[in-house]
Amino acid sequence: MFDNLLPVYLKELRSYFQSRMFWFVFAVYILILMTAVFVRTGFLLETDSELTSVFEMQINVFVLIVPALTIKLWADEKRFGTMELTLSLPVSGTALVLGKFLAVWSLCGLLIISTFGLCLTTAALTYVDLAEILLNYLVLISACGSLCAVSMAASSFTTQPVSAFVLSLAFCLLVSLLNLTIFIPEDSLSLEIWLRAGNSLHFVQQYSQLLSGRFSMSAVYYFVSMIVFPLWLNVMSVEWRKN
Amino acid sequence: MLVVKNISKSFGTVKAVDKVNFCLSNGEVTALLGPNGAGKTTLLRLLSGYYYPDFGEVLINNHNVSSDRLQALKNFAYVPENGALYPEMSVVEYIRFMASLYQLSKQNFEDNLASLSRELGLAEVINRQCETLSKGYKRRVALAGALIHRPDILLLDEPTEGLDPNQKYMIRDFLRDYGRRHTVLISTHIMEEVEACAGRVLLLNKGKLICDTTPDGLKSLTPANDIESAFRSMTFDK
């Protein structure tokens, strides 16, 4: 099932580094993040610089840039006419989807790690809990994995790069803004149950909960299922194409 | 050996391939002939595992392409009609990627690359980016990528479409030679190609296999004694 996963992963990764799109997205990411951090939060101007706000902000930036990264994975195959070649290679649908997913997730990881300078700067100026920072990085990378999987699945259902981007962006925004609690009537008798159910599906809520150090298995399950389910959908879309 | 057992494929109400049966053995170049829309590309896509058949099965060296895909495609290669390549890769990177899918050793890869580069005239473009290549070179690179693991079975969809006469000659000459030791199936609607390389002809019309013979056998079906007349008389839609 996972035969040839590594060659597909390396090929996708290499093609990202060779594309102008990736470097453009990289520059945009750094620009947006730095602007948001230094202008909006007044980072380093405060006496006790908070790294939590940086992590809280980053996920919002990723909601915008992940669709731009995943657009390449399927829409470019269609644009350059390589879909037939790719789908007739000796690679299973699972390995193909997983290879592409891991490549884009690795890039997100690289973007995230590139902000480590901020942590070092903060550590030089004030006391920071290194374990907490590492945990926050882990949470951010996991959340990015969910966005990558959702965005990739969304883009696999369309044939045009622009519609792939718009659809992926819409799905990422939907996932990140999904807050069912706003639909709950205030006079509901089972308000608490509804609130709990709503919160358990709220991406930012789950992300913030982990970021604040409140570890819960439900949040872990949430992010794992937000990766596994969209990837399964993506494999299904590849198989559906063959049928 | 490639065995096609009663395969059918429909798209909505259109039957693209209808109950096709044939078997290809080593040491022959077979031409899959048919007018546009006859179902040639669909049939090749079914053989390559790009599509799953609605009915029937395709066996490559006794492995079913749909259910045992990875084993079936181990000694198999397919070059699609457009001969598309990954544009951001260089020629050597593309061929290396194809080799990595078949777990070729470094020595094997280098030997095969050197001989393919010589046979297909790729030496001067080996480090060029695929997107900058001319159509003729793209075709040859796609062929080199498909042949890097020296597959037993090679499928090509319209391999000389859009090439100049010199490039056509080179590809046909290469295929004739490769077909002496392997199984080669080429899809075409160019009669000259059939006469130039094939020892067997499968004629497809409206998704059905209407004739399985040799080029000479096909010629003898009409008084004019040429392939084109036979092709027209068998596929012409009044």
Side-chain angles (χ1 to χ4, degrees):
Chain A
M1 189 197 270
F2 299 114
D3 279 14
N4 287 329
L5 171 66
L6 188 65
V8 173
Y9 168 73
L10 293 174
K11 173 202 158 269
E12 293 296 337
L13 203 60
R14 194 183 301 119
S15 80
Y16 267 113
F17 285 119
Q18 287 169 342
S19 76
R20 285 181 212 102
M21 172 63 118
F22 169 67
W23 297 107
F24 175 72
V25 168
F26 200 159
V28 166
Y29 167 73
I30 297 291
L31 195 71
I32 295 178
L33 189 70
M34 291 305 132
T35 309
V37 167
F38 289 103
V39 177
R40 215 180 129 230
T41 69
F43 185 75
L44 293 183
L45 293 175
E46 308 290 328
T47 45
D48 53 339
S49 286
E50 262 293 332
L51 278 171
T52 314
S53 63
V54 176
F55 284 101
E56 274 171 358
M57 208 167 288
Q58 281 202 71
I59 196 68
N60 298 320
V61 182
F62 273 107
V63 168
L64 299 174
I65 66 164
V66 163
L69 287 174
T70 55
I71 191 176
K72 196 181 171 327
L73 295 173
W74 293 116
D76 270 7
E77 295 261 15
K78 290 160 200 158
R79 186 154 68 104
F80 297 121
T82 52
M83 188 63 100
E84 191 176 352
L85 171 69
T86 303
L87 294 187
S88 53
L89 294 174
V91 182
S92 67
T94 311
L96 188 65
V97 169
L98 215 54
K100 283 174 179 279
F101 165 73
L102 289 174
V104 73
W105 196 13
S106 303
L107 288 178
C108 288
L110 192 73
L111 292 184
I112 291 166
I113 288 165
S114 72
T115 63
F116 198 63
L118 271 179
C119 302
L120 293 177
T121 313
T122 314
L125 296 171
T126 181
Y127 169 76
V128 288
D129 184 347
L130 268 177
E132 190 189 327
I133 289 174
L134 287 178
L135 186 73
N136 286 350
Y137 269 114
L138 207 63
V139 171
L140 181 58
I141 288 171
S142 310
C144 268
S146 309
L147 291 176
C148 290
V150 167
S151 179
M152 211 177 123
S155 72
S156 72
F157 287 100
T158 178
T159 52
Q160 297 296 321
V162 176
S163 49
F165 176 74
V166 172
L167 199 64
S168 305
L169 185 63
F171 267 84
C172 283
L173 283 172
L174 185 73
V175 164
S176 62
L177 300 175
L178 191 69
N179 183 2
L180 296 183
T181 54
I182 59 169
F183 299 112
I184 299 167
E186 280 183 22
D187 57 346
S188 169
L189 292 171
S190 50
L191 185 63
E192 201 185 329
I193 299 169
W194 278 102
L195 273 172
R196 279 190 189 173
N199 281 344
S200 69
L201 287 171
H202 191 192
F203 187 86
V204 176
Q205 185 87 24
Q206 296 282 9
Y207 176 71
S208 303
Q209 188 184 327
L210 284 178
L211 217 56
S212 64
R214 280 179 287 139
F215 179 82
S216 78
M217 277 314 285
S218 69
V220 175
Y221 289 142
Y222 176 81
F223 284 117
V224 170
S225 57
M226 285 291 276
I227 291 174
V228 174
F229 181 65
L231 288 182
W232 174 78
L233 269 183
N234 210 327
V235 174
M236 288 299 109
S237 86
V238 170
E239 294 298 318
W240 171 76
R241 222 178 281 275
K242 288 172 185 277
N243 283 310
Chain B
M1 181 183 259
L2 190 147
V3 180
V4 176
K5 284 186 185 169
N6 216 23
I7 56 166
S8 298
K9 179 77 183 172
S10 300
F11 297 103
T13 54
V14 180
K15 275 210 162 184
V17 173
D18 192 8
K19 295 175 189 156
V20 170
N21 287 286
F22 62 87
C23 173
L24 301 180
S25 324
N26 252 9
E28 60 178 5
V29 178
T30 306
L32 180 62
L33 202 59
N36 286 331
K40 301 187 297 292
T41 298
T42 306
L43 181 58
L44 288 192
R45 286 176 174 179
L46 286 165
L47 303 187
S48 68
Y50 178 74
Y51 285 148
Y52 294 144
D54 296 337
F55 302 103
E57 58 181 4
V58 178
L59 302 173
I60 298 176
N61 295 332
N62 292 323
H63 296 286
N64 190 310
V65 172
S66 305
S67 59
D68 194 7
R69 182 185 164 79
L70 296 182
Q71 279 301 320
L73 299 184
K74 233 175 192 171
N75 269 307
F76 174 92
Y78 169 54
V79 183
E81 185 180 1
N82 58 7
L85 306 168
Y86 301 112
E88 71 283 348
M89 284 182 165
S90 70
V91 171
V92 70
E93 279 172 347
Y94 173 75
I95 300 173
R96 187 177 289 127
F97 166 66
M98 297 301 276
S100 68
L101 296 173
Y102 299 97
Q103 287 86 38
L104 235 62
S105 69
K106 198 176 175 214
Q107 189 59 48
N108 252 348
F109 166 72
E110 276 168 10
D111 292 347
N112 289 356
L113 179 64
S115 70
L116 282 170
S117 176
R118 198 176 47 250
E119 286 165 321
L120 295 170
L122 295 176
E124 61 186 78
V125 295
I126 204 81
N127 290 311
R128 284 249 307 265
Q129 217 171 335
C130 290
E131 67 181 338
T132 65
L133 299 176
S134 67
K135 198 170 184 177
Y137 271 123
K138 277 185 182 165
R139 286 267 174 194
R140 282 184 267 166
V141 172
L143 189 58
L147 291 171
I148 192 68
H149 64 299
R150 297 284 173 188
D152 290 340
I153 299 165
L154 174 66
L155 263 57
L156 300 132
D157 197 357
E158 314 268 2
T160 59
E161 186 79 18
L163 301 186
D164 68 39
N166 290 335
Q167 292 167 338
K168 279 182 185 174
Y169 181 82
M170 179 191 240
I171 299 261
R172 285 172 189 163
D173 196 38
F174 178 82
L175 292 177
R176 235 187 344 257
D177 185 49
Y178 195 78
R180 286 197 187 105
R181 286 153 286 125
H182 304 89
T183 308
V184 178
L185 176 65
I186 52 172
S187 147
T188 185
H189 53 251
I190 306 168
M191 306 305 135
E192 169 199 339
E193 196 143 284
V194 180
E195 293 192 89
C197 349
R200 183 179 167 191
V201 181
L202 301 174
L203 187 56
L204 203 65
N205 192 33
K206 293 179 183 167
K208 286 183 186 290
L209 186 63
I210 55 169
C211 184
D212 181 353
T213 182
T214 59
D216 287 339
L218 190 62
K219 277 183 198 171
S220 66
L221 292 175
T222 54
N225 202 35
D226 71 282
I227 292 185
E228 193 161 334
S229 303
F231 177 84
R232 289 191 63 227
S233 73
M234 295 182 87
T235 61
F236 186 63
D237 196 355
K238 287 169 190 168

